[in-house]
Amino acid sequence: MRLRALLDTDALGLRLLGGEDELDRSVRGVMTTDLRDPSRYLSGGELVLTGLAWRRDADDSEPFVRILVQAGVAALAAGEAELGDVPEDLVLACARHRLPLFAVHESVAFATITEYVVRQVSGERAGDLAAVVDRHRRMMTSGPAGGGPDVVLDLLGTDLDLRAWVLSPTGRLIAGSKVVGPELPPETCAQLAAEHLAATRGGRRGPHRVPLGGTTYSLFPIRSSGRSPGAARDVRETVLSDWLLAVDADAGDWPAERLDLLQGVTQLIAVERDRRDAARTVRRRLAQEVLELVQTGAAPAEIAARLRVAAPVLLPGLGAAPHWQVVVARVEWDGGEVEGGPVAQSLLEEVLVDPLATGPEQSDRIAVAHTGDEAIALVPLPAVSAEHDGSETGLLADALLQSVREPLSAGLNDDGRLTLGVSAAVHSAEGLRGALEEARHARRVAAARPGRVCAAGHQELASHVLLLPFVPDDVRRAFTARLLDPLKDYDRRHRAELIPTLEAFLDCDGSWTRCATRLHLHVNTLRYRVGRIEQLTGRDLSRLEDKLDFFLALRMS
């Protein structure tokens, strides 16, 4: 469709502010955003809708418009509900870059414009299918945010007898039709998410058909609004953050009109997804500000003041700053050409929500920042009584990943890795720096373990054993060879079992009688074997230092 067709439709309430000579541009999609830099969601040809929440002063308009032009968008439409008239600085910036600019009357919902563009770009639907989308539009006109995905899923159930659910990439239920049939069990959600991620990583185009438990499901990707399939520079940038639409039906024999309708539904749901992502920018900014203060060694009083600002946003209605935990996650892809930080940020915002919880409410209480390949979450906890340290009521590393390990492993495939570390709870600003370092140390412990998805908590930092994974391989080999190779050689030649004897002796804390009993040996035989160990290695097992060296060598071997 052409841009000028938008002006010919009175119901859209659009007023042209500039770009009369560019109205023959083609529109290939639509995207709603209030991000300062939405470029990663743009593929070109979009009509971009914005409520102007990204604009803090007049200097913000020029870089925002420049980003849109570089992405090749068709036009910009700015809502008048937030600021009244469209700011003059935005009008001038669009004129300088020859970007057509429309004003959207405050009475017109962005969902109305989105649905209109989707319908025009996708072509005319059959009468009954078009009626579903029309009814959805009417129910989504309460404001630019729309009525949420539940509305359109209920319409699919009542009008087309289709059971459908919106799932997160980890399999958490975001929304589902309450009209037709029961909800999906959590284990089914996780399996469907895993199948979807595996298909996406395998390069297969949706919808993906998945037989499961006697039922065939069709899985439709929900990409950010306006982004066409394959528009991401690299699938790994979005595979672990995009939602999916699961339909209880085999789409393999559907007519083109019905497939087209479902694709339109995913775009309408994507509008809501983008709105929720934009709403998270405040929490992300708060997290970034607090973490910058913590990492630069700011005074505790300054950090505490910032936390008092953050608490009402993260815990509305509680009126008091809670205790906090810090969670650090890192996503690394082979080759290093894809930045893992944004992916880790999206994943933390997802896995820190109770896997049995539906909707966005709980994730709205989590602030996550990212830098490089690392994401850091400030997680508020309910206030605990003075006699408890708060750690027992906080997050546990293994529990966080238990229900999402299967789908995440499928999305990471064989070239990605997620590692996660969790700190203990802290009760004041003074403890945040230590909590951040503790979470980072725990994540490094997790990174030393095998597997695509690994986590470690603060409880694991209390043992000297955590140091072992960080010993370089060449040092590890040289150390163990010097102490244990003479004993292994002797055992091979004489079947003397010096290595098992050494392990039992150390495990019994050097007790001759307990060790002899465990090995079913006479104490004199045990003394002979220990003497032979000391002779072959030049060590003295009555010395604590030598006992510790043997202990570490056995652990590292």
Side-chain angles (χ1 to χ4, degrees):
M1 64 172 295
R2 304 289 181 182
L3 280 176
R4 64 176 67 256
L6 298 172
L7 291 174
D8 296 334
T9 306
D10 295 336
L12 299 183
L14 295 178
R15 181 163 50 90
L16 185 66
L17 300 181
E20 294 87 347
D21 297 333
E22 307 292 332
L23 291 180
D24 285 327
R25 291 187 183 185
S26 296
V27 180
R28 295 196 296 271
V30 62
M31 175 189 178
T32 300
T33 185
D34 276 311
L35 297 174
R36 296 172 65 83
D37 181 4
S39 58
R40 66 191 296 254
Y41 301 113
L42 296 170
S43 58
E46 296 92 349
L47 170 67
V48 175
L49 307 174
T50 180
L52 300 175
W54 50 266
R55 182 186 178 276
R56 287 178 284 192
D57 56 49
D59 293 334
D60 290 336
S61 293
E62 173 68 21
F64 181 78
V65 171
R66 190 185 310 119
I67 288 170
L68 299 187
V69 172
Q70 290 172 350
V73 305
L76 174 65
E80 296 179 322
E82 182 75 18
L83 301 178
D85 292 335
V86 176
E88 184 64 17
D89 48 89
L90 181 59
V91 176
L92 293 175
C94 288
R96 281 193 297 270
H97 292 279
R98 300 180 63 84
L99 180 67
L101 175 63
F102 298 92
V104 182
H105 193 271
E106 62 180 3
S107 64
V108 178
F110 283 3
T112 300
I113 301 173
T114 299
E115 191 273 338
Y116 176 85
V117 173
V118 169
R119 286 182 59 196
Q120 294 301 314
V121 170
S122 300
E124 291 299 325
R125 280 32 172 207
D128 61 329
L129 300 180
V132 173
V133 178
D134 285 339
R135 286 182 56 192
H136 167 69
R137 177 186 58 77
R138 289 194 296 272
M139 297 180 72
M140 294 275 282
T141 53
S142 58
D150 299 271
V151 176
V152 68
L153 297 186
D154 284 343
L155 287 173
L156 289 177
T158 56
D159 288 41
L160 299 181
D161 198 28
L162 287 177
R163 300 171 64 211
W165 305 267
V166 177
L167 305 179
S168 78
T170 64
R172 184 171 67 90
L173 185 64
I174 302 294
S177 171
K178 301 176 179 61
V179 178
V180 183
E183 296 289 6
L184 283 181
E187 57 273 15
T188 302
C189 292
Q191 288 178 281
L192 291 176
E195 293 284 351
H196 168 73
L197 291 175
T200 302
R201 289 306 313 274
R204 290 160 31 210
R205 296 177 64 86
H208 313 305
R209 298 157 62 199
V210 178
L212 196 63
T215 301
T216 297
Y217 297 91
S218 297
L219 310 180
F220 294 79
I222 298 175
R223 298 179 173 89
S224 294
S225 61
R227 199 178 82 222
S228 59
R233 292 184 294 273
D234 192 305
V235 67
R236 293 172 294 181
E237 295 179 2
T238 57
V239 67
L240 295 177
S241 58
D242 282 342
W243 289 353
L244 67 138
L245 176 68
V247 180
D248 181 2
D250 187 345
D253 56 357
W254 280 6
E257 291 83 358
R258 180 164 291 202
L259 283 172
D260 199 29
L261 171 69
L262 266 292
Q263 295 292 353
V265 167
T266 64
Q267 291 192 35
L268 290 166
I269 296 174
V271 174
E272 175 68 9
R273 171 64 195 270
D274 289 343
R275 183 193 67 81
R276 295 184 185 183
D277 280 348
R280 286 177 174 159
T281 57
V282 174
R283 296 186 297 281
R284 289 173 173 176
R285 190 180 305 124
L286 286 171
Q288 194 72 50
E289 291 173 354
V290 172
L291 289 169
E292 286 176 0
L293 291 174
V294 170
Q295 294 185 101
T296 55
E302 186 177 358
I303 299 174
R306 181 59 59 186
L307 285 176
R308 284 193 294 272
V309 172
V313 176
L314 298 177
L315 293 176
L318 292 190
H323 304 290
W324 301 87
Q325 266 182 294
V326 177
V327 181
V328 172
R330 191 176 182 90
V331 171
E332 296 172 289
W333 302 103
D334 292 351
E337 67 274 9
V338 177
E339 184 181 359
V343 178
Q345 183 179 46
S346 295
L347 282 179
L348 270 189
E349 290 173 336
E350 175 60 34
V351 302
L352 290 174
V353 179
D354 183 342
L356 299 180
T358 60
E361 292 79 9
Q362 294 195 25
S363 61
D364 286 347
R365 298 182 175 185
I366 298 162
V368 185
H370 80 83
T371 175
D373 291 330
E374 182 183 72
I376 303 168
L378 288 174
V379 183
L381 300 175
V384 294
S385 57
E387 61 268 23
H388 291 90
D389 63 4
S391 59
E392 295 182 358
T393 62
L395 302 169
L396 299 177
D398 287 338
L400 283 177
L401 297 182
Q402 183 176 1
S403 62
V404 300
R405 195 177 302 274
E406 179 186 359
L408 288 184
S409 296
L412 291 164
N413 201 1
D414 57 357
D415 61 347
R417 194 151 191 258
L418 167 67
T419 52
L420 182 144
V422 181
S423 77
V426 294
H427 309 158
S428 63
E430 289 88 342
L432 275 180
R433 186 178 182 89
L436 177 58
E437 290 305 313
E438 189 173 58
R440 281 175 167 160
H441 283 308
R443 192 208 62 79
R444 285 193 285 268
V445 170
R449 297 171 175 167
R452 289 288 168 190
V453 181
C454 298
H458 61 92
Q459 303 92 338
E460 301 176 62
L461 302 184
S463 171
H464 59 277
V465 178
L466 73 91
L467 299 174
L468 300 184
F470 304 107
V471 178
D473 288 342
D474 55 344
V475 175
R476 183 194 304 255
R477 287 191 294 268
F479 183 77
T480 56
R482 187 166 58 251
L483 281 176
L484 301 183
D485 280 4
L487 306 182
K488 293 176 181 177
D489 291 341
Y490 191 88
D491 281 346
R492 277 196 299 270
R493 293 196 309 270
H494 302 284
R495 297 182 181 179
E497 296 187 350
L498 296 184
I499 292 291
T501 300
L502 176 61
E503 291 175 332
F505 185 74
L506 294 175
D507 196 41
C508 292
D509 298 323
S511 169
W512 296 99
T513 54
R514 281 195 290 129
C515 184
T517 301
R518 174 181 293 189
L519 296 175
H520 306 289
L521 298 174
H522 192 278
V523 172
N524 288 341
T525 303
L526 177 60
R527 290 184 185 276
Y528 172 80
R529 289 187 182 180
V530 171
R532 179 63 67 184
I533 292 171
E534 293 174 336
Q535 180 185 16
L536 291 170
T537 60
R539 298 299 185 106
D540 182 355
L541 277 168
S542 66
R543 286 167 42 86
L544 175 61
E545 293 88 345
D546 288 343
K547 286 180 182 177
L548 182 58
D549 283 348
F550 277 120
F551 172 82
L552 293 174
L554 289 168
R555 285 300 183 97
M556 288 191 292
S557 65

